[in-house]
Amino acid sequence: MEDVKSFLSEAEENMEMAVMALDEKLSRIRAGRANVHILDGIKVDSYGAMMPLSNVANLSIPDARSIVIKPWDRSMLKVIEKAIIDSPVGIMPENNGEQIRLGIPVLTEERRKELSKQCSKEAESAKISIRNARRDCIESLKKSVKNGVPEDVEKDAEGDCQKLHDKYIKRIDEVLDAKIKEIMTV
């Protein structure tokens, strides 16, 4: 009986990780509003080591349309500026000698639709991960019958696994709907 619970808890853990990964990926997609998470993937060469931008500078959002990057060491300004230009963020930095300002442009209708499609693709890959977790759980449950677990217990556990699957698919849909609403809001 304990085997069955471990299979279900492992499946739930994998499903939860898929939702968390989706949350992180969607937070990096800019929605026309300033969000420091769009800079999460940027690495800066700091004294010979590649460091995340947040480890070498203070990131702040003074208003809804801009991000201010204030490096702790002024000599890093040019390096940070180059890293932002080379990144897929797609925003040109403004360097005033003390800080770097990123002006978040207003998204066009076409760009909003592209971002919505990108979000949908990310959500679909998360759903695939959840389906894979369900499949692995059900396979493990079927193998456990050969190891002495009663079939009715296995069938009940399969039902529980399906309920977990449905719950996490619904959560992904909710996360996706919220992000698309954020993107499409002008």
Side-chain angles (χ1 to χ4, degrees), residues 18 27 37 47 57 73 91 111 118 140 173 182:
S27 72
H37 289 294
Y47 306 108
D73 180 2
I91 301 173
R111 182 68 177 141
Q118 183 181 348
S140 298
D173 288 336
E182 178 186 342

Side-chain angles (χ1 to χ4, degrees), residues 50-184:
M50 294 306 281
M51 307 270 293
L53 182 57
S54 59
N55 287 8
V56 297
N58 182 28
L59 308 175
S60 62
I61 302 173
D63 58 62
R65 294 268 180 232
S66 61
I67 299 173
V68 173
I69 303 163
K70 190 165 175 99
W72 295 315
D73 180 2
R74 281 192 188 163
S75 66
M76 294 295 294
L77 276 169
K78 293 285 184 199
V79 178
I80 292 172
E81 188 175 24
K82 182 173 179 358
I84 293 170
I85 291 170
D86 294 344
S87 75
V89 171
I91 301 173
M92 197 64 182
E94 302 166 20
N95 182 347
N96 70 3
E98 289 184 22
Q99 62 188 16
I100 297 172
R101 181 177 290 275
L102 297 177
I104 309 296
V106 178
L107 296 175
T108 63
E109 187 68 25
E110 184 178 314
R111 182 68 177 141
R112 288 178 197 278
K113 289 179 181 174
E114 281 177 30
L115 291 174
S116 295
K117 285 180 185 175
Q118 183 181 348
C119 290
S120 296
K121 286 179 185 173
E122 295 292 349
E124 188 56 40
S125 74
K127 286 180 180 181
I128 289 170
S129 296
I130 287 176
R131 289 184 199 116
N132 289 340
R134 176 189 58 183
R135 183 199 63 220
D136 294 345
C137 178
I138 289 174
E139 284 176 3
S140 298
L141 289 169
K142 288 185 182 197
K143 287 179 185 172
S144 72
V145 171
K146 295 176 184 166
N147 296 335
V149 174
E151 280 189 34
D152 59 336
V153 171
E154 182 261 340
K155 286 294 178 194
D156 291 343
E158 273 187 35
D160 292 344
C161 186
Q162 183 62 42
K163 286 177 188 168
L164 279 175
H165 167 270
D166 296 342
K167 171 183 154 188
Y168 282 98
I169 291 290
K170 185 178 181 206
R171 274 189 52 198
I172 283 180
D173 288 336
E174 289 167 356
V175 168
L176 176 64
D177 290 343
K179 185 64 176 184
I180 288 178
K181 182 179 179 189
E182 178 186 342
I183 289 171
M184 297 310 263

